[in-house]
Every structure is written in C-alpha cells, then in structure tokens.
Amino acid sequence: VASSLQPVARTVDRISNALMVAVPSLVAAVAILTWMMTGRALRPVSAITSRAQEITGSTLDQRVPEPRTDDEIGQLARTMNAMLGRLQGAAMRQRQFVSDASHELRSPVAAIRTDVEVALREGDRADWPTVGRAVLAEEERLERLLADLLVLAADDDRSAVARQMQSRTRGRRLARPH
C-alpha cells in the first residue's frame, strides 16, 4: 500500500513531454498535408478562373481547361465551355445580322441620295414630283426595315424574359421539399 509513486510520476512526465512535442508536430503535419491537398484539389479551379478572366468578347473562341476528372470541377469546366460555345455562336449571328441589316439599310439610302443628286443636277428640268414619289417609296422601305428590326428586338427580349421565367420556376420547383 505504501509503495512509491515516483515511477508512475516519471512515466507521466515522459508521456507529457512526448505529447508536448508529438501533438504540435502532428497538428503541423496535418495542416501542411491539408494545405497541399487543398491546393492540389483547387489547382483546376485556379486554372479555370485565370483562363475565364482572359476571355473577352473578341476571344470567345478560347475555352477553359477541362480537368480529366468527372467531378463537379470537371462538370463546371465543361458547362463553361458549352456556354462559351453558345456565346460565340450568338456573337457570330449578331455580327452577321448587323452586317445584313447595314447592307439592307444602305440600299434605300443610296437610292434616295442618287435620285436627289440627279434631280439637283438637272435643276429646273428635273421632274420633282417623280423624284418625291421615288424618295417616299424608298423612305417607306426604310420604315419597313426599321419596323422589322424593332420586331426582331422585341421578340428577342420576350424570349429572354420567357427563359428567365422558366429558369426561376424550375429553381423554385427544385428548392421545394418533397
């Protein structure tokens, strides 16, 4: 009953000293390992982010790098690339539309200018009522073209609003508990 506790105290001291070194070392090792693993896991996100920041309206042909993994990051990269493809297609269609519209608008303007310039050269000999009718006909053509452009713009706006409404409705359906 009256045995010495000195061996037990020495053992407790040794364990305490070992734990004072081992626990901080273990925490540091886990922290370093976590930092390295997180950095490795987020490296594709960093590559996607830096490439996405470089892409502008004039460089829509570029794509973000796709990691070889089939996880959320890979899915994000594929989704972004698909979106960039759609944006590139829309930009090309818009440029073509603007080019076509410019050409269509130039024709009546050129006809009006030609009719007026010719009539001005002829001076008093010009048939001004005929010139006026020709100018009015071309002006009506311009009005039709502009009205068509406004209809196209309004249809595009309505389509965008409809897509937005569908997206919101779909989001609410997904958020509801079942």
Side-chain angles (χ1 to χ4, degrees):
V1 175
S3 63
S4 170
L5 292 177
Q6 190 173 9
V8 173
R10 267 192 310 247
T11 303
V12 168
D13 286 342
R14 283 185 194 146
I15 291 174
S16 293
N17 290 338
L19 286 176
M20 282 186 189
V21 172
V23 168
S25 298
L26 183 61
V27 168
V30 167
I32 290 170
L33 184 63
T34 302
W35 180 73
M36 288 173 47
M37 295 300 287
T38 303
R40 181 180 171 143
L42 293 179
R43 195 171 300 131
V45 174
S46 178
I48 291 169
T49 301
S50 65
R51 179 66 61 85
Q53 288 173 342
E54 295 170 0
I55 297 174
T56 65
S58 61
T59 60
L60 287 174
D61 59 328
Q62 293 183 12
R63 298 295 181 262
V64 298
E66 293 183 16
R68 287 177 246 167
T69 59
D70 196 30
D71 58 2
E72 290 82 3
I73 295 172
Q75 184 178 3
L76 173 66
R78 286 186 292 281
T79 302
M80 285 187 70
N81 284 336
M83 177 193 64
L84 287 167
R86 290 189 304 273
L87 287 173
Q88 182 182 15
M92 288 171 54
R93 286 188 301 277
Q94 183 180 17
R95 279 192 295 278
Q96 184 62 48
F97 174 76
V98 168
S99 173
D100 292 347
S102 297
H103 179 74
E104 288 296 319
L105 290 171
R106 234 183 261 137
S107 297
V109 169
I112 290 170
R113 182 180 189 100
T114 302
D115 288 344
V116 171
E117 284 178 349
V118 168
L120 286 173
R121 277 197 201 123
E122 292 179 357
D124 292 339
R125 294 174 294 143
D127 183 4
W128 286 103
T130 302
V131 171
R133 284 190 293 278
V135 168
L136 284 175
E138 293 300 330
E139 189 277 334
E140 286 175 6
R141 183 174 166 200
L142 277 172
E143 281 186 21
R144 282 193 308 273
L145 286 169
L146 292 173
D148 290 346
L149 288 174
L150 289 172
V151 167
L152 286 172
D155 286 347
D156 196 36
D157 287 345
R158 281 193 291 270
S159 295
V161 168
R163 282 191 303 273
Q164 227 174 14
M165 295 295 282
Q166 282 179 333
S167 173
R168 287 181 185 156
T169 304
R170 193 176 318 122
R172 278 190 229 120
R173 271 190 247 132
L174 293 174
R176 276 191 212 139
H178 297 284

